[in-house]
Amino acid sequence: LAKGRRQKEASAPSDPAKSFQSLELRNVSFRYPDSEDYVLRDINLTIHANEKIAIVGANGAGKTTLIKLILGLYKPTRGEILLNGMPVQSRSFEEHIRYFSAVFQDCSLLDYSVAENIALDGQFSAERIQEILGRLHLDRKMESLKNGIETSVTRNLDADGADMSGGEKQRLMIARALYKDAPVYLFDEPTSALSAAGEYEIYRSFAQLTEDKTVLYISHRLASCRLCTRILFLEDGGVMEDGGFEELMENKGGFAEMYETQAACYRQEA
């Protein structure tokens, strides 16, 4: 990441993975080592290319655990996961992870420039980075920095570094995921430091930037579910509801109850 290696006009990274077709969980259960309680139990789920899926449920429902199983960070206690019809364990982790761009709620930045934090390389496409930052409403922030996207994101090693808010840090982590340009995006509450309105605007930008991608969202703000074509409602270690927004609202099940409860809280605040 040395400054001497920077090439602002380097071409955008090409997708190193094969095209994504499907990801299937067959009778997947998971429990942590030394625990007798299962976080997830007998999950049967197929995710198809270009689907936009919201994963929702109460705290402890297993949403993040499901994402980490898909990424290969956790291995199922029972069952198997197939990517494009082949067991995940038939590939190396390095090959498997090429299919995914992920952002988690807890994020950290490196003591390098904005551009290097996004590209994770000294060679990057400045034009592509600027485009992504504009879509994430960080263009004005970049204009205010002394060296633009060449500015360090901290002042640990550079006195001219930037002061980034929690929301700005999360947007940079999202920009990193978008720059990777993988076939599948997984967002685990990546906008928790933003207001509800700010989160909704970011998700609208996601929709434009990931039209031809498969996207899985976890968000505690259920209004973002309206931007998804499919909703998975997790409860008691399983997928209790699976369908579109209008369908699940008409069913008046766990998702509808949670949505109405949250909407009432927002109306009271307003």
Side-chain angles (χ1 to χ4, degrees):
L1 295 176
K3 290 185 178 181
R5 293 180 55 232
R6 292 176 182 167
Q7 296 181 14
K8 293 184 181 180
E9 301 307 320
S11 59
S14 59
D15 178 13
K18 298 177 182 178
S19 61
F20 174 79
Q21 300 165 9
S22 66
L23 185 126
E24 183 180 0
L25 284 74
R26 293 182 180 174
N27 299 314
V28 169
S29 297
F30 178 81
R31 60 182 172 87
Y32 291 98
D34 302 323
S35 174
E36 296 182 357
D37 298 324
Y38 280 86
V39 180
L40 296 172
R41 188 184 297 273
D42 299 325
I43 301 292
N44 288 283
L45 172 66
T46 301
I47 297 167
H48 301 283
N50 300 328
E51 283 194 298
K52 309 297 185 287
I53 300 174
I55 303 174
V56 302
N59 290 337
K63 304 183 296 294
T64 297
T65 300
L66 178 61
I67 291 294
K68 291 183 176 180
L69 283 165
I70 291 172
L71 287 171
L73 300 176
Y74 292 165
K75 294 182 179 180
T77 305
R78 297 199 309 261
E80 64 176 346
I81 301 176
L82 295 88
L83 177 63
N84 290 349
M86 297 185 62
V88 166
Q89 58 266 31
S90 67
R91 298 179 174 89
S92 67
F93 175 75
E94 289 73 17
E95 182 179 0
H96 177 74
I97 204 66
R98 290 176 183 173
Y99 287 83
F100 303 99
S101 286
V103 182
F104 291 93
Q105 180 177 353
D106 296 327
C107 58
S108 60
L109 297 174
L110 306 174
D111 290 328
Y112 295 110
S113 70
V114 170
E116 289 167 326
N117 267 276
I118 293 173
L120 293 179
D121 197 337
Q123 297 181 345
F124 51 81
S125 168
E127 181 178 354
R128 176 169 169 75
I129 288 174
Q130 295 282 16
E131 176 189 2
I132 292 172
L133 291 174
R135 294 290 188 94
L136 296 178
H137 309 293
L138 279 174
D139 44 346
R140 289 186 179 179
K141 177 68 175 183
M142 295 303 107
E143 292 172 359
S144 71
L145 300 179
K146 182 176 181 180
N147 297 310
I149 63 173
E150 295 274 8
T151 305
S152 175
V153 298
T154 72
R155 295 186 178 179
N156 294 337
L157 302 177
D158 187 346
D160 292 327
D163 288 320
M164 295 284 180
S165 68
E168 289 167 345
K169 290 178 181 178
Q170 286 188 323
R171 291 178 198 235
L172 286 180
M173 297 299 290
I174 294 167
R176 178 187 294 175
L178 292 171
Y179 187 87
K180 183 180 177 182
D181 196 29
V184 185
Y185 289 88
L186 301 102
F187 296 111
D188 186 357
E189 298 200 31
T191 53
S192 58
L194 301 178
S195 66
E199 178 184 71
Y200 190 77
E201 286 302 316
I202 291 298
Y203 278 11
R204 288 182 62 186
S205 297
F206 285 168
Q208 296 173 353
L209 289 165
T210 60
E211 287 181 341
D212 59 343
K213 306 290 185 180
T214 305
V215 186
L216 281 71
Y217 299 97
I218 293 177
S219 175
H220 64 282
R221 297 184 182 118
L222 301 185
S224 59
C225 293
R226 288 182 173 274
L227 298 174
C228 296
T229 55
R230 183 181 175 191
I231 299 167
L232 304 177
F233 179 70
L234 272 59
E235 190 176 47
D236 297 328
V239 179
M240 303 305 292
E241 299 178 56
D242 182 351
F245 179 83
E246 298 297 337
E247 176 187 355
L248 296 193
M249 292 299 292
E250 290 176 3
N251 289 345
K252 300 186 182 301
F255 171 78
E257 180 180 358
M258 182 178 287
Y259 182 88
E260 290 294 351
T261 299
Q262 189 174 100
C265 292
Y266 280 123
R267 283 194 290 269
Q268 288 176 2
E269 290 179 6

